[in-house]
């Protein structure tokens, strides 16, 4: 190893030791007092959710079928929040898959609330409020658990804010106050722990969630300036810097834009202007997606990018504002990707340097890999990352042989 390789490894080890130390600190009896504080006074707005939704999944949830991360866990009508990360803690129906850590994260992130919102029925609203109440009662004080991992907390706060009308319509005053109290606890948790989140997108997500809270929780507006400064620091470091590590991972761009674009709309609804860095980052990421998008509407599978949904990508691209009359995709972006296109044939080349943040600590051996497509047909592609069971399959996806 070179000196710089040793230095990078040392930094990664130090960050991991620091995160584990914080996790042990959160298990102490006095840590909960650090999160004490007044509850938000109310909710000011609910940002738009850009993820695709399926009302049929709301029916499945009501019947006790919870399908996350490629695993269908059947609870026979019981609350899924009695299930521990290792799949224990509740008698599951026969034939039910064992809950994995990925399944647990998907459940506790609450991004699935969009399916109940799509159903738009009194039953769906009552079920959503009941599930949130179950989570608060079972996991609300278990700060040392996997349910309180910083990126999961950020996703959960954003989901609760996005779908707050679903959660508070026809609910009791006590349930509403409990929800506000727990949102305030999530916000303070991210204020204290967001900067120690895992490197890369998880840390950016925590900064985004703090701005969400500052905008959407009544009484938190005084924290907007400090939250926006933290987000600008992450934007400058991960998106607008010369190395642009966030631009090295196409799927990370989709994840980031899915929460950044509604935040931009929330600023407009409040009559506020986001920072210049925020605006520039939005345009930079949309341009990068255009470069990395094949003619069939899919993204190049670089640096941990799985096969992606065309509909979600097309929905994000509707927010792109053309910079010229031709509106052609750029030929290169910061981060090292280049695009060649002629008569419907597209070549996307990764000529960037590996970066520790490009895969959230799981960098891929994909430098100088390329993909080639013509029209709706892709002829040369990378294997891409697995959609599920990452711990089992990601080592193979990282290898040089998995890249063209």
């Amino acid at each position: 190893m070179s000196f710089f390789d040793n230095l990078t490894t040392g930094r990664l080890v130090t960050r991991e030791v620091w995160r584990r130390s914080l996790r042990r600190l959160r298990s102490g009896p006095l840590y909960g007092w650090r999160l004490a504080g007044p509850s938000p006074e109310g909710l000011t707005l609910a940002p738009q959710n850009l993820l695709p939704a399926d009302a049929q999944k709301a029916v499945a949830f009501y019947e006790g079928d919870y399908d996350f991360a490629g695993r269908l866990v059947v609870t026979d009508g019981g609350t899924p929040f009695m299930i521990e990360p290792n799949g224990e803690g509740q008698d599951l129906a026969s034939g039910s898959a064992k809950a994995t850590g990925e399944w647990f994260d998907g459940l506790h992130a609450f991004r699935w609330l969009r399916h109940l919102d799509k159903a738009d029925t009194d039953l769906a609203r009552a079920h959503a409020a009941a599930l949130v109440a179950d989570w608060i009662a079972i996991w609300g004080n278990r700060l040392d658990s996997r349910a309180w991992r910083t990126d999961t907390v950020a996703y959960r706060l954003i989901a609760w804010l996005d779908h707050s009308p679903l959660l508070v319509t026809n609910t009791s005053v006590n349930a509403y106050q409990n929800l506000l109290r727990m949102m305030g606890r999530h916000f303070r948790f991210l204020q204290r722990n967001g900067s120690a989140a895992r490197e890369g997108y998880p840390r950016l997500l925590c900064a985004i969630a703090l701005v969400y809270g500052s905008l959407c929780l009544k009484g938190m507006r005084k924290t907007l300036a400090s939250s926006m400064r933290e987000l600008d620091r992450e934007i400058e470091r991960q998106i607008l810097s010369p190395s642009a590590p966030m631009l090295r991972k196409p799927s990370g761009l989709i994840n980031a834009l899915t929460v950044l674009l509604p935040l931009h709309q929330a600023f407009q609804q409040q009559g506020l202007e986001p920072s210049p860095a925020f605006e520039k980052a939005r345009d930079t990421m949309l341009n990068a997606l255009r470069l990395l998008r094949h003619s069939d509407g899919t993204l190049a599978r670089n640096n941990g990018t799985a096969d992606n949904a065309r509909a979600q990508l097309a929905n994000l691209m509707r927010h792109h504002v053309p910079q010229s009359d031709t509106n052609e995709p750029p030929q290169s972006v910061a981060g090292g990707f280049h695009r060649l296109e002629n008569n419907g044939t597209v070549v996307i080349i990764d000529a960037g340097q590996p970066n520790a943040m490009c895969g959230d600590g799981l960098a891929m051996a994909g430098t100088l890999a390329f993909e080639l497509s013509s029209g709706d047909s892709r002829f040369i592609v990378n294997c891409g990352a697995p959609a599920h069971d990452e711990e089992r399959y990601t080592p193979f996806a990282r290898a040089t042989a998995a890249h063209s």
Side-chain angles (χ1 to χ4, degrees):
M1 274 191 178
S2 68
F3 169 77
F4 293 105
D5 289 335
N6 287 327
L7 189 62
T8 299
T9 302
R11 285 200 299 266
L12 292 173
V13 170
T14 301
R15 289 168 185 159
E16 182 61 26
V17 170
W18 174 242
R19 282 196 297 270
R20 294 186 181 188
S21 299
L22 287 177
R23 196 178 303 127
R24 286 194 294 269
L25 176 63
R26 291 201 294 268
S27 66
L30 299 179
Y31 185 79
W33 289 100
R34 294 192 63 211
L35 302 183
S39 297
E41 300 169 13
L43 299 164
T44 57
L45 78 155
Q48 178 188 9
N49 186 275
L50 296 182
L51 290 171
D54 182 358
Q56 288 301 313
K57 290 191 175 183
V59 178
F61 293 159
Y62 188 73
E63 294 174 348
D65 298 344
Y66 294 89
D67 186 0
F68 308 118
R71 296 291 182 108
L72 175 61
V73 174
V74 182
T75 64
D76 277 351
T79 178
F81 293 110
M82 291 297 293
I83 300 174
E84 298 286 344
N86 59 3
E88 299 177 354
Q90 175 173 301
D91 291 332
L92 303 179
S94 60
S96 172
K98 183 178 179 180
T100 62
E102 286 181 271
W103 183 92
F104 183 89
D105 295 339
L107 173 69
H108 285 253
F110 276 87
R111 306 185 84 191
W112 44 266
L113 281 175
R114 65 187 188 275
H115 304 305
L116 294 150
D117 216 340
K118 180 74 172 180
D120 194 26
T121 64
D122 289 339
L123 178 61
R125 284 185 280 273
H127 191 208
L131 287 170
V132 171
D134 286 344
W135 189 93
I136 293 174
I138 298 170
W139 295 94
N141 292 316
R142 297 177 61 178
L143 301 175
D144 60 328
S145 68
R146 182 168 179 148
W148 283 87
R149 201 170 70 174
T150 47
D151 49 341
T152 302
V153 172
Y155 268 136
R156 188 163 54 240
L157 178 59
I158 291 173
W160 286 355
L161 292 170
D162 283 348
H163 304 288
S164 55
L166 172 76
L167 300 176
V168 303
T169 301
N170 299 329
T171 192
S172 67
V173 174
N174 185 56
Y176 179 56
Q177 293 299 328
N178 282 339
L179 177 63
L180 288 177
R181 177 181 60 81
M182 191 53 61
M183 285 183 174
R185 169 170 272 206
H186 277 53
F187 186 82
R188 289 187 289 272
F189 181 92
L190 292 174
Q191 282 182 312
R192 288 163 174 76
N193 298 286
S195 60
R198 286 180 297 147
E199 189 64 272
Y201 175 66
R203 193 172 298 181
L204 177 66
L205 176 66
C206 291
I208 293 171
L210 284 172
V211 180
Y212 262 83
S214 298
L215 277 177
C216 302
L217 294 173
K218 190 175 181 181
M220 297 293 189
R221 185 60 58 85
K222 59 182 179 294
T223 66
L224 180 58
S226 60
S227 297
M228 201 64 219
R229 282 195 299 271
E230 180 62 28
L231 177 56
D232 282 349
R233 276 195 294 268
E234 289 302 317
I235 284 174
E236 292 285 354
R237 196 168 66 94
Q238 298 198 42
I239 302 170
L240 302 181
S241 65
S243 60
M246 179 59 67
L247 304 189
R248 298 282 300 139
K249 188 175 182 181
S251 62
L253 296 176
I254 292 182
N255 292 334
L257 284 169
T258 299
V259 288
L260 273 176
L261 291 175
L263 188 57
H264 185 266
Q265 295 174 347
F267 271 102
Q268 293 178 325
Q269 292 173 10
Q270 295 291 297
L272 301 171
E273 289 291 333
S275 67
F278 185 104
E279 298 270 14
K280 187 175 180 180
R282 179 200 61 179
D283 294 340
T284 298
M285 288 191 290
L286 286 171
N287 272 325
L289 283 182
R290 292 173 66 230
L291 181 149
L292 294 162
R293 190 184 187 192
H294 286 286
S295 299
D296 67 349
T298 59
L299 278 184
R301 299 180 185 179
N302 292 89
N303 289 328
T305 299
D307 201 11
N308 43 77
R310 303 182 192 184
Q312 182 182 357
L313 180 56
N315 187 33
L316 293 176
M317 295 310 300
R318 280 197 287 269
H319 294 266
H320 168 68
V321 178
Q323 301 295 318
S324 65
D325 294 336
T326 59
N327 194 27
E328 294 180 354
Q331 295 181 341
S332 64
V333 293
F337 286 106
H338 298 264
R339 178 188 182 98
L340 304 175
E341 183 173 3
N342 188 37
N343 292 331
T345 299
V346 174
V347 178
I348 299 172
I349 307 166
D350 180 0
Q353 295 183 353
N355 188 289
M357 286 194 290
C358 72
D360 301 338
L362 295 174
M364 305 283 172
T367 299
L368 298 183
F370 74 98
E371 295 196 349
L372 183 147
S373 66
S374 181
D376 290 335
S377 301
R378 286 181 288 170
F379 291 98
I380 299 176
V381 295
N382 300 314
C383 290
H388 310 300
D389 290 332
E390 292 182 2
E391 292 183 1
R392 181 187 303 178
Y393 296 115
T394 294
F396 301 99
R398 296 176 62 196
T400 302
H403 300 83
S404 55

